[in-house]
């Protein structure tokens, strides 16, 4: 028996030495190994407690360990609450789809980024019907301040908060901000458990995160995953730079906290990508840095204020990058500047490409409204703008948006084929007056590449590659100097938009 024990011990030592040689065990480090082998006498060895599971990487690579979230869950679950809501709402969208309306049932965006909590039941016609909803929230102060999503308490007549210890309280809604989907509640209680707030700006892609909430009403449910992207812009007009994760969240998780591995709240679970209504691998959380600023405003004043720059921007694709001689298709292309707005006062012009704001790169066009939307009225921002082949530095003092921030112009134009194909003429005086412009060329006919890109007869051509055009000769001169594509600034009715046209 003693010989068998010594042999087994020798094998374990050799195994540990081999693991250390390939980098599984670092210098001075230790790996807890769980054993479950019986000796010849049938007695099982006592298992070691594993605090992390080590995964053997390639030679020379660092140790990869899976986190143990049990302590974070035990410590923070008492401060995560279940929220139940009763109220009424006008039902139109969901009921139309349930009634077999093909326009809704066949819409691919019907379940795309749907909210976790919504009305249940209802009839057609838009009349008020009773609703019942569930959500989550978390306590941020011992005197009963709770953060959650605005859509959780939307149209609420009564909000009930259930604590982890099964106590229930009637909650008062201190305020909501639909633009960022943040709501703040207050319950009449003291000495409550609270969660620590972290900094979402320090979060890294690939970092482990943990969600605690009440999916489908199951209190204190814990799920985990990793951050799959940051600063994600969604087609919901919120301008929130969402944290994208693969943490499993479902209806009822709305408003619940997202924790980092230090047990700090770094986000508020808000939306999911789903075509079924349930979790399909993508969830989105509101960064706590933004949510905390909104919470402070609501607690102080009962509402939140948002900043305004006063521009309409659109995506810089490869065609625009070629037209404006940009090395990479990055930035926010300014399609329109609101007269008298902070952007106008700062000197921004149609055709400018905003490349940086406060030193932060603008990759996608939606990055600009997201940065502006998370600022406060009166804040100053510095911008690096690409204009006429060089960088121009501008400074703007943001105004008050009254819950309206910069919008991203939709650009669904296709690439053209071989040539421009436009028939143009100068505008008459009465046409300029009706259009509210001082110069431009009327598109009498559109064919070829321009028509394929989306230019239509009746459009007014204002500029080519950022150069204003008042005559057909000016437009032709700019087009002839362009190698791959041209960017046409078109006015159609009251709207302005850049359209890229690929040249032959």
């Amino acid at each position: 028996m003693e010989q068998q024990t010594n042999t087994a011990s020798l094998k374990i030592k050799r195994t540990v030495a081999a693991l250390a040689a390939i980098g599984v065990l670092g210098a001075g480090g230790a790996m807890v190994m769980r054993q479950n082998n019986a000796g010849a006498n049938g007695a099982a060895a006592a298992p070691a407690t594993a605090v992390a599971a080590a995964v053997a990487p390639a030679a020379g690579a660092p140790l990869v360990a899976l986190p143990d979230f049990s302590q974070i869950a035990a410590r923070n679950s008492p401060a995560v609450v279940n929220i139940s809501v009763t109220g009424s709402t006008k039902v139109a969208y969901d009921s139309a789809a349930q009634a077999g309306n093909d326009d809704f049932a066949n819409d691919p965006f019907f379940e795309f980024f749907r909210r976790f909590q919504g009305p249940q039941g209802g009839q057609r016609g838009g009349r008020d019907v009773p609703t019942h909803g569930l959500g989550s929230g978390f306590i941020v102060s011992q005197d009963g301040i709770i953060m959650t999503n605005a859509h959780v308490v939307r149209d609420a007549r009564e909000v009930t908060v259930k604590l982890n210890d099964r106590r229930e309280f009637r909650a008062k809604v201190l305020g909501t901000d639909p633009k960022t989907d943040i709501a703040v509640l207050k319950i009449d209680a003291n000495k409550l458990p609270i969660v620590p707030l972290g900094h979402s700006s320090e979060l890294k892609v690939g970092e482990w995160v943990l969600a605690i909430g009440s999916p489908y009403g199951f209190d204190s449910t814990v799920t985990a995953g990793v951050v799959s992207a940051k600063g994600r812009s969604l087609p919901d007009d919120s301008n929130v730079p969402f944290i994208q994760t693969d943490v499993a969240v479902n209806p009822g998780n709305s408003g619940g906290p997202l924790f980092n591995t230090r047990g700090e709240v770094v986000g508020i679970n808000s939306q999911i990508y789903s075509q079924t209504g349930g979790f399909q691998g993508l969830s989105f959380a509101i960064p706590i840095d933004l949510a905390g600023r909104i919470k402070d405003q609501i607690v102080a004043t009962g509402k939140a204020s948002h900043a305004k720059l006063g521009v309409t921007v659109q995506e810089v694709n490869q065609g625009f990058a070629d037209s404006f001689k940009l090395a990479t298709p990055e930035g926010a292309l300014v399609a329109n500047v609101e007269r008298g707005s902070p952007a106008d006062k700062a000197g921004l012009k149609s055709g400018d490409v905003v490349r940086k704001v406060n030193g932060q790169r603008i990759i996608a066009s939606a990055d600009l409204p997201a940065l502006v939307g998370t600022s406060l009225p009166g804040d100053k921002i510095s911008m690096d703008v690409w204009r006429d082949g060089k960088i121009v530095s501008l400074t703007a003092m943001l105004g008050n948006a009254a819950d309206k921030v910069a919008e991203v112009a939709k650009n669904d134009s296709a690439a053209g084929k071989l040539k421009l194909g436009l028939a143009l003429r100068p505008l008459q005086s009465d046409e300029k007056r009706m259009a509210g412009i001082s110069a431009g060329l009327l598109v009498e006919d559109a064919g070829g590449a321009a028509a394929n890109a989306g230019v239509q007869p009746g459009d007014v051509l204002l500029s080519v590659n950022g150069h204003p055009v008042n005559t057909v000769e000016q437009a032709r001169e700019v087009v002839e100097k362009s190698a791959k594509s041209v960017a046409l600034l078109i006015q159609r009715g009251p709207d302005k938009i850049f359209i890229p046209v690929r040249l032959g």
Side-chain angles (χ1 to χ4, degrees), residues 423-434:
L424 305 169
R425 70 165 175 82
L427 291 172
Q428 303 295 327
S429 299
D430 57 337
E431 292 172 331
K432 294 178 183 178
R433 186 172 58 255
M434 291 178 62

Side-chain angles (χ1 to χ4, degrees), residues 151-169:
H151 73 263
V152 169
V153 297
R154 182 179 56 225
D155 303 317
R157 284 200 308 262
E158 182 177 312
V159 179
T160 301
V161 170
K162 180 180 178 182
L163 305 187
N164 185 259
D165 61 10
R166 305 187 64 81
R167 287 185 293 166
E168 294 187 5
F169 296 87

